[in-house]
Amino acid sequence: MNGLTFHRKIEENTGLLIFGILFVSAIGGLVQLLPVLTQESLETASANTRPYSAVELTGRDIYMRENCVVCHSQQIRPLVAEVERYGPYSRAGEFVYDRPFLWGSKRTGPDLHRIGGKYSDDWHRLHLLDPRAVVPNSIMPAYPWLEERQASETGNITNKLTVLRRLGHPYTDEQIANAEADLEGLTEMDALIVYLQMLGTGFSEEDAAMEGGSH
Amino acid sequence: MEAAENKIYQDKIVIRLIQFSVVWAVLAISAGVYIAAELVWPTLDFGQYWLSYGRLRPVHTNGVIFGFGVSALMATGFYSVQRTSHVPLFAPRLAWFVCYAWQLIVLLGALSLLAGWNTTKEYAELEWPFDIAIAIVWICFGVVFFGTIAQRKIKPIYISNWFYGALIIVIAMLHVVNSLALPVSIDKSYSAYAGAQDAVVQWWYGHNAVGFLLTGGFLGMVYYFLPKIANRPIWSYRLSVVAFWAFVYAYIWAGPHHLHYNAIPEWVQSLGVIMSVILLAPSWATLVNGVMTVSTAWEKLRTDPALKFIVLSLAFYGLATFEGPMMAIRSVNVVSHFTDWTVGHVHSGALGWNAMITYGTFYFLVPRLAGRELYSTRLANIHFWLAFAGTMLYIIAMWAAGVSQGLLWLSIDGLGELSFDFKDIMASMTPYYLLRLIAGLVFLLGTVLMAYNLFMTLKGQRAVKVAPPAVDPAYGVNA
């Protein structure tokens, strides 16, 4: 049986065609995804990386809701210019508590992976309320409604931490019990700023030294 | 037996899906134009959360891909699978369910995005209730499509059906695997994958949603409608066989080129580069097949606007499928990644290839379905030039913007210091963003002209009743 007569069989059989497509298209995915999904080093946290606190997680969910990720990456590539501009390049171990990842694919604005601690809380507040007050040529939108909403309105924080614990994030019973109290009195703006200020702080010099310290 | 032979093709559903597709095209491209304007005048959201760039952007992409694109693929898939099988649609009621349920998903999905329900996974932003609904409707789509093929009166399964079939099967696989998540509430879930692993899964999905929906699905359109419109058989059936399997095998590997120099294993990136470059072969094999098919029918280009659109779409298909592998090479990607070059690349595909092949197909189909001539060939010709000009302006603006961004960001002076401040580079983009806005408006204007033209063609008409022709005994199922 030569190739063409074999193919004629597929061409004339619906079931074979469906199976053939499924089989052939699955190969690449299996070879790439299975090793990555079972690679332990990709699931091992960097020394200073810990699960998000109730307030940070709420801030992160607001970051997702407003879709900041379509204009801001959180991924510093190991290139001289990027490290100079943004700080130490991003390590896989810094993202093990990121569900989903927020690396982004577009920098209309700058990378934010190591934005934490670079500006004051007041700067962020002013910038989010009126970007052009602090960056004259900015094309970023303003987010006035964040001041008007309470962080507790963003979603059920107790449920969120419980779900994340089920997914393997090491939250204690105490953290979960106190989660609602942690958000009390905070606006969405406060929570978002807390999140921005912790971004990139999961990296430590020890991690760099462990890698061989060539940088 | 005789009664079954005389059944007529289900074409009302084709008309309805074309109408939905055109409506989504107008709405989703308008959303795109609006967010393009926001990048020039950032206060255009008037402090309203639902007009904010971040919330409107996925409405634009979801509207174009799942509203306009998928409705067009369902319409043309249903039309061509009946003609190539010589039977009416299997389970027509289920087909109508697929048609309306899909529109409801896109509509409610868009509203949920405006409300801030957002997984942030690109092109998979809709939250888990929608993911489940999509999976169910998609499986029903598969049942109608493959059910029709299973009942066919013609022994061979024509090549266009393989591409539509691959669209249905592979998108189902990608969607289910990438959407796995644990729900927190109706509007929120957390991904089953974290960090680097999530990134690899997401771009396996993201790249292949482009591959099997925007490339593969629309190649199904090419393989049926191009030979029909040109009135020539496909140039090489054997080449299409080889190109199909090479395409299905190779495309799936290319996802990691979206994550070059990111925190994922290097071997995954390298594999992504190699397979992306290899992908050029099956992509261009189809291009050659398409161009050779029209090559003896060039004179029809002067008179037939449908063929003009389709031939131009092949040119942009060739451009985009060449540019893609080039951008997947790490030394090119280091400049292009995170810039507007990527946006330009996507639009040379989405406007130049997907929209144009669809527009051409609609200009061919709607008069046939309505049983009368196109309302205005002149308007269609004007539309052609608007679409061409809009697409060219768009990608030129984004090339210029993207290449400048990429090079200026990486530029380092003689003392080893960064040459430019990020803010200054961003501010220098305004002229390009303005040009892109104009390009979008020009393209939108053309699309509105088409909507009017097709509306006038269909107005007051009912779907022409077409019965399957007699089957040549040499190709019959019992042959």
Side-chain angles (χ1 to χ4, degrees), chain B residues 258-269:
Chain B
H258 292 258
L259 296 166
H260 279 333
Y261 293 106
N262 285 15
I264 63 164
E266 200 157 318
W267 69 266
V268 181
Q269 300 178 27

Side-chain angles (χ1 to χ4, degrees), chain B residues 10-334:
Chain B
Q10 296 280 343
D11 283 344
K12 271 193 220 163
I13 191 170
V14 176
I15 293 180
R16 186 55 44 85
L17 281 162
I18 290 175
Q19 289 166 330
F20 279 128
S21 176
V22 173
V23 169
W24 285 122
V26 172
L27 291 177
I29 297 173
S30 300
V33 168
Y34 199 82
I35 56 174
E38 287 184 333
L39 288 179
V40 183
W41 300 288
T43 52
L44 268 184
D45 60 10
F46 305 107
Q48 302 298 313
Y49 65 85
W50 56 277
L51 275 178
S52 186
Y53 181 92
R55 300 205 189 190
L56 271 180
R57 196 264 191 179
V59 171
H60 165 60
T61 53
N62 279 268
V64 167
I65 299 171
F66 302 111
F68 165 62
V70 170
S71 300
L73 289 170
M74 284 177 174
T76 55
F78 284 163
Y79 181 91
S80 60
V81 75
Q82 298 182 91
R83 266 68 182 180
T84 51
S85 301
H86 280 48
V87 283
L89 277 187
F90 172 73
R93 281 195 188 162
L94 190 64
W96 278 105
F97 166 75
V98 169
C99 166
Y100 283 109
W102 188 260
Q103 309 310 321
L104 200 63
I105 287 171
V106 179
L107 178 68
L108 295 179
L111 295 177
S112 79
L113 290 167
L114 292 180
W117 302 20
N118 187 347
T119 68
T120 74
K121 288 192 165 196
E122 273 183 274
Y123 319 122
E125 289 93 348
L126 297 180
E127 267 295 350
W128 66 274
F130 291 101
D131 287 340
I132 293 172
I134 288 169
I136 293 169
V137 174
W138 201 258
I139 288 167
C140 297
F141 178 27
V143 169
V144 174
F145 185 83
F146 287 111
T148 309
I149 292 180
Q151 287 189 326
R152 72 193 182 282
K153 296 281 191 290
I154 298 263
K155 201 163 192 180
I157 302 171
Y158 182 64
I159 181 77
S160 64
N161 293 322
W162 309 0
F163 279 97
Y164 284 110
L167 157 79
I168 292 169
I169 293 166
V170 181
I171 292 294
M173 171 176 81
L174 297 167
H175 171 73
V176 170
V177 174
N178 186 48
S179 299
L180 290 180
L182 269 191
V184 174
S185 53
I186 184 90
D187 61 345
K188 179 78 189 166
S189 61
Y190 287 117
S191 172
Y193 321 97
Q197 296 173 334
D198 191 41
V200 175
V201 174
Q202 156 60 22
W203 284 111
W204 169 75
Y205 165 88
H207 182 74
N208 293 299
V210 174
F212 285 85
L213 208 157
L214 298 175
T215 309
F218 286 82
L219 284 177
M221 223 185 261
V222 170
Y223 275 114
Y224 182 79
F225 291 97
L226 178 70
K228 272 287 170 195
I229 298 174
N231 203 18
R232 301 282 187 281
I234 200 77
W235 180 62
S236 166
Y237 203 79
R238 192 178 294 196
L239 183 60
S240 69
V241 170
V242 176
F244 174 78
W245 290 110
F247 170 83
V248 172
Y249 175 76
Y251 220 114
I252 212 90
W253 297 77
H257 70 220
H258 292 258
L259 296 166
H260 279 333
Y261 293 106
N262 285 15
I264 63 164
E266 200 157 318
W267 69 266
V268 181
Q269 300 178 27
S270 303
L271 206 52
V273 180
I274 294 165
M275 296 310 282
S276 301
V277 174
I278 287 176
L279 197 49
L280 188 58
S283 301
W284 275 32
T286 301
L287 177 67
V288 169
N289 219 349
V291 171
M292 293 309 284
T293 303
V294 259
S295 69
T296 51
W298 293 125
E299 81 287 348
K300 291 190 79 176
L301 272 179
R302 280 184 292 134
T303 50
D304 186 353
L307 192 62
K308 278 186 210 176
F309 270 103
I310 291 192
V311 167
L312 188 63
S313 80
L314 281 179
F316 278 107
Y317 168 80
L319 173 75
T321 52
F322 175 76
E323 189 184 27
M326 293 307 112
M327 290 170 79
I329 296 169
R330 276 160 55 113
S331 50
V332 179
N333 191 274
V334 81

Side-chain angles (χ1 to χ4, degrees), chain B residues 337-377:
Chain B
H337 196 47
F338 293 129
T339 72
D340 279 303
W341 187 351
T342 310
V343 181
H345 170 65
V346 170
H347 283 82
S348 76
L351 302 176
W353 154 241
N354 298 123
M356 296 234 200
I357 180 100
T358 307
Y359 293 170
T361 302
F362 286 176
Y363 279 126
F364 167 79
L365 260 186
V366 170
R368 290 194 157 211
L369 292 165
R372 68 168 166 206
E373 296 268 301
L374 185 67
Y375 172 71
S376 168
T377 306

Side-chain angles (χ1 to χ4, degrees), chain A:
Chain A
M1 184 160 74
N2 68 31
L4 271 184
T5 46
F6 171 68
H7 197 267
R8 177 165 288 174
K9 271 196 179 348
I10 303 176
E11 253 172 79
E12 293 174 355
N13 186 314
T14 322
L16 269 181
L17 181 63
I18 294 174
F19 176 77
I21 291 170
L22 196 57
F23 178 75
V24 172
S25 68
I27 298 171
L30 288 173
V31 173
Q32 279 176 349
L33 295 188
L34 287 184
V36 167
L37 290 178
T38 52
Q39 187 174 333
E40 232 172 273
S41 67
L42 295 178
E43 299 174 0
T44 311
S46 298
N48 288 352
T49 302
R50 49 167 181 76
Y52 294 101
S53 73
V55 181
E56 290 161 0
L57 188 69
T58 302
R60 190 173 194 269
D61 287 341
I62 295 164
Y63 186 97
M64 285 173 62
R65 188 188 70 201
E66 302 306 337
N67 219 358
C68 306
V69 65
V70 292
C71 289
H72 295 284
S73 56
Q74 289 186 18
Q75 185 68 211
I76 302 164
R77 297 177 291 175
L79 307 168
V80 178
E82 297 226 341
V83 172
E84 261 193 64
R85 195 182 297 280
Y86 300 117
Y89 65 84
S90 306
R91 269 76 167 178
E94 297 181 80
F95 300 101
V96 297
Y97 300 117
D98 281 22
R99 290 178 194 268
F101 76 116
L102 293 174
W103 296 358
S105 60
K106 177 71 172 57
R107 283 179 190 154
T108 303
D111 186 276
L112 297 183
H113 185 210
R114 305 217 185 274
I115 196 71
K118 282 194 183 162
Y119 300 89
S120 68
D121 289 359
D122 287 341
W123 185 93
H124 278 299
R125 193 176 307 273
L126 192 55
H127 182 243
L128 283 161
L129 285 173
D130 183 6
R132 277 151 295 285
V134 278
V135 183
N137 288 322
S138 173
I139 54 171
M140 188 170 113
Y143 294 89
W145 56 90
L146 298 183
E147 281 278 76
E148 292 153 21
R149 286 171 52 110
Q150 293 300 306
S152 54
E153 294 173 60
T154 310
N156 188 325
I157 189 66
T158 314
N159 280 357
K160 286 179 180 176
L161 293 188
T162 313
V163 164
L164 285 176
R165 182 156 74 173
R166 204 171 298 156
L167 286 165
H169 296 203
Y171 287 112
T172 62
D173 291 338
E174 201 189 349
Q175 276 175 306
I176 295 177
N178 293 337
E180 277 187 47
D182 291 343
L183 295 185
E184 228 163 88
L186 298 178
T187 63
E188 289 197 333
M189 178 69 83
D190 297 325
L192 179 59
I193 292 172
V194 169
Y195 169 65
L196 292 174
Q197 293 292 26
M198 67 78 61
L199 271 178
T201 56
F203 173 75
S204 72
E205 291 305 325
E206 289 161 53
D207 291 336
M210 293 261 291
E211 290 168 11
S214 59
H215 31 267

